[in-house]
């Protein structure tokens, strides 16, 4: 009865699980992470049902046959056999039970030999192979090169910010983006600038989550950076789905670059993944928002901006102090029109 009630409780709990909440707009309904979660739940219930059915079947078999049946002598059961047969002692029970149950539509796989105790199994287990490093010697290379490039690898916050800037740069500063911008309806300079700032923040958050919860947490960055329907940052109306360029190549590049960072974390650890992306930043995004040199970039930009004729500038650029504060803290707050004007007038270099 306890097993029967357990079965009822399992089925009730499974049926009473509330419907999953609607995924955010940045997640495709066919997203493999959501699909996998549903599949794992289904597999767990199949396993639970099988275990309950297995136990009930043997309970019924034992309940209807007398103790110490004659078949024990035929099968050479141990002397202390009580005639109570379980799947773990199938050598002590009638093998024909499987055929008999099959006649009634109950199919149970015959169990193999009992597993070795863990302490003995460990003696025969093959020694796990160390994964081959993707980028060996990163620590030594970083210590020698990054300080000369303006990155202190010993400062955790600086290293994290540089890695986030590098990951954001990999998502945007590439050939697929160039092709998108050249195509009709592609993003303009303001769209790209604002999106780069937003992706930097998301990359930084995802990298911290990956440190605490594993490399798979970088999937949150991928979901947003490659979303087809999510408008880009800074009030942009551009979406990847509306683009006429090679969107598939753009998305594939993001997935590949994030996979490299995830795999590097698995093989060499979180810090090596940050060092690798910091190298990306110094070569691809030296003047990116979030890099140590960004305040100097803003200072030089404001000097150029102050010397320009600003009559044609968007109203968001009227207050120089507010513009400088926004550039230092949240450039996308200025909006894509203002950022586009700054880029077109070479204010930001």
């Amino acid at each position: 009865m306890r097993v029967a009630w357990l079965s009822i409780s399992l089925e009730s709990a499974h049926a009473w699980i509330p419907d999953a909440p609607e995924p955010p707009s940045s997640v495709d309904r066919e997203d493999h992470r959501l699909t996998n979660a549903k599949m794992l739940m289904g597999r767990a219930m199949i396993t639970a049902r099988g275990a309950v059915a297995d136990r009930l079947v043997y309970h019924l078999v034992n309940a209807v046959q007398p103790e110490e049946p004659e078949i024990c002598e035929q099968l050479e059961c141990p002397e202390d056999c009580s005639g109570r047969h379980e799947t773990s002692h199938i050598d002590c029970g009638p093998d024909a039970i499987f055929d008999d149950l099959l006649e009634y539509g109950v199919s149970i796989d015959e169990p193999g030999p009992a597993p070795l105790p863990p302490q003995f199994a460990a003696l025969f287990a093959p020694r796990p192979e160390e994964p081959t490093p993707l980028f060996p010697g990163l620590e030594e290379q970083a210590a020698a090169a990054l300080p000369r490039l303006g990155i202190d690898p010993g400062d955790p916050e600086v290293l994290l910010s540089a890695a986030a800037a590098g990951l954001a740069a990999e998502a945007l500063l590439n050939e697929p983006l160039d092709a998108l911008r050249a195509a009709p309806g592609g993003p303009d300079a303001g769209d790209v600038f604002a999106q780069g700032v937003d992706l930097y923040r998301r990359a930084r958050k995802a990298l911290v989550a990956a440190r605490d919860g594993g490399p798979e947490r970088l999937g949150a960055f991928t979901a947003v950076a490659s979303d087809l329907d999510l408008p880009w940052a800074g009030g942009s109306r551009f979406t990847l789905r509306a683009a006429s360029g090679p969107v598939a190549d753009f998305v594939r590049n993001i997935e590949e670059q994030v996979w490299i960072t995830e795999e590097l974390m698995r093989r060499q650890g979180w810090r090596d993944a940050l060092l690798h992306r910091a190298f990306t930043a110094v070569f691809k995004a030296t003047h990116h928002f979030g890099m140590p040199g960004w305040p100097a970039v803003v200072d030089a930009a404001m000097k150029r901006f102050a010397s320009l004729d600003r009559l044609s500038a968007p109203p968001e650029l009227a207050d120089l102090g507010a513009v400088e504060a926004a550039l230092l803290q949240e450039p996308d707050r200025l909006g894509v029109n203002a950022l586009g004007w700054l880029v077109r007038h070479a204010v930001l270099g």
Side-chain angles (χ1 to χ4, degrees), residues 33-46:
R33 286 178 293 278
L34 299 179
T35 304
N36 286 351
K38 294 177 182 177
M39 181 184 69
L40 290 174
M41 173 66 78
R43 288 175 58 186
M45 280 306 301
I46 290 171

Side-chain angles (χ1 to χ4, degrees), residues 4-327:
W5 278 115
L6 171 62
S7 177
I8 291 174
S9 299
L10 282 172
E11 295 296 341
S12 297
H14 186 250
W16 291 341
I17 292 175
D19 293 336
E22 284 293 315
S25 59
S26 60
V27 178
D28 192 292
R29 291 183 178 274
E30 301 300 322
D31 186 275
H32 67 88
R33 286 178 293 278
L34 299 179
T35 304
N36 286 351
K38 294 177 182 177
M39 181 184 69
L40 290 174
M41 173 66 78
R43 288 175 58 186
M45 280 306 301
I46 290 171
T47 302
R49 289 166 181 149
V52 171
D54 196 9
R55 185 66 188 86
L56 285 174
V57 164
Y58 274 86
H59 171 74
L60 293 175
V61 169
N62 289 327
V64 299
Q65 69 178 359
E67 293 188 1
E68 300 182 3
E70 296 179 359
I71 198 167
C72 286
E73 297 180 3
Q74 300 173 13
L75 296 177
E76 300 179 355
C77 290
E79 292 183 1
D80 59 350
C81 178
S82 66
R84 311 291 288 182
H85 303 117
E86 305 289 345
T87 53
S88 59
H89 305 98
I90 195 63
D91 289 340
C92 182
D95 290 344
I97 187 66
F98 294 103
D99 296 330
D100 295 340
L101 290 172
L102 193 58
E103 293 182 8
Y104 295 93
V106 179
S107 175
I108 300 179
D109 292 333
E110 296 189 36
L116 290 173
Q119 62 268 33
F120 292 112
L123 297 176
F124 300 99
R127 185 181 299 275
E129 295 184 5
E130 289 292 330
T132 304
L134 286 179
F135 302 100
L138 272 175
E139 190 71 53
E140 295 78 9
Q141 296 171 28
L146 286 181
R148 291 185 293 176
L149 298 169
I151 306 292
D152 179 5
D155 187 324
E157 287 299 312
V158 169
L159 181 60
L160 176 60
S161 293
L167 191 57
E170 287 288 20
L172 287 178
L173 306 180
N174 49 50
E175 292 183 6
L177 178 70
D178 294 339
L180 281 179
R181 293 195 61 186
D188 64 19
D191 297 317
V192 175
F193 194 106
Q195 183 72 351
V197 172
D198 185 64
L199 290 184
Y200 159 79
R201 287 193 295 257
R202 294 181 185 275
R204 201 176 194 281
K205 184 177 180 180
L207 287 168
V208 172
R211 177 192 62 195
D212 302 329
E216 295 76 15
R217 294 297 185 90
L218 290 178
F221 174 83
T222 305
V224 172
S226 61
D227 191 289
L228 298 180
D229 299 304
L230 186 67
W232 280 18
S236 172
R237 287 183 284 184
F238 173 77
T239 66
L240 288 173
R241 190 178 298 279
S244 57
V247 174
D249 292 343
F250 180 82
V251 170
R252 188 180 304 112
N253 174 73
I254 293 173
E255 293 172 345
E256 290 174 353
Q257 294 301 328
V258 173
W259 179 88
I260 289 172
T261 304
E262 290 176 345
E263 190 65 15
L264 190 53
M265 285 186 188
R266 295 187 187 98
R267 297 192 187 194
Q268 296 175 226
W270 186 75
R271 178 173 168 82
D272 267 16
L274 262 59
L275 291 172
H276 175 251
R277 282 307 171 204
F279 275 112
T280 301
V282 296
F283 289 113
K284 279 195 170 186
T286 306
H287 304 301
H288 197 285
F289 175 75
M291 291 289 282
W294 179 247
V297 171
V298 173
D299 183 64
M302 292 308 299
K303 291 177 181 177
R304 287 192 291 268
F305 184 50
S307 66
L308 290 178
D309 179 358
R310 301 189 298 277
L311 290 177
S312 64
E316 295 86 354
L317 301 178
D319 186 332
L320 293 183
V323 171
E324 182 174 11
L327 288 176

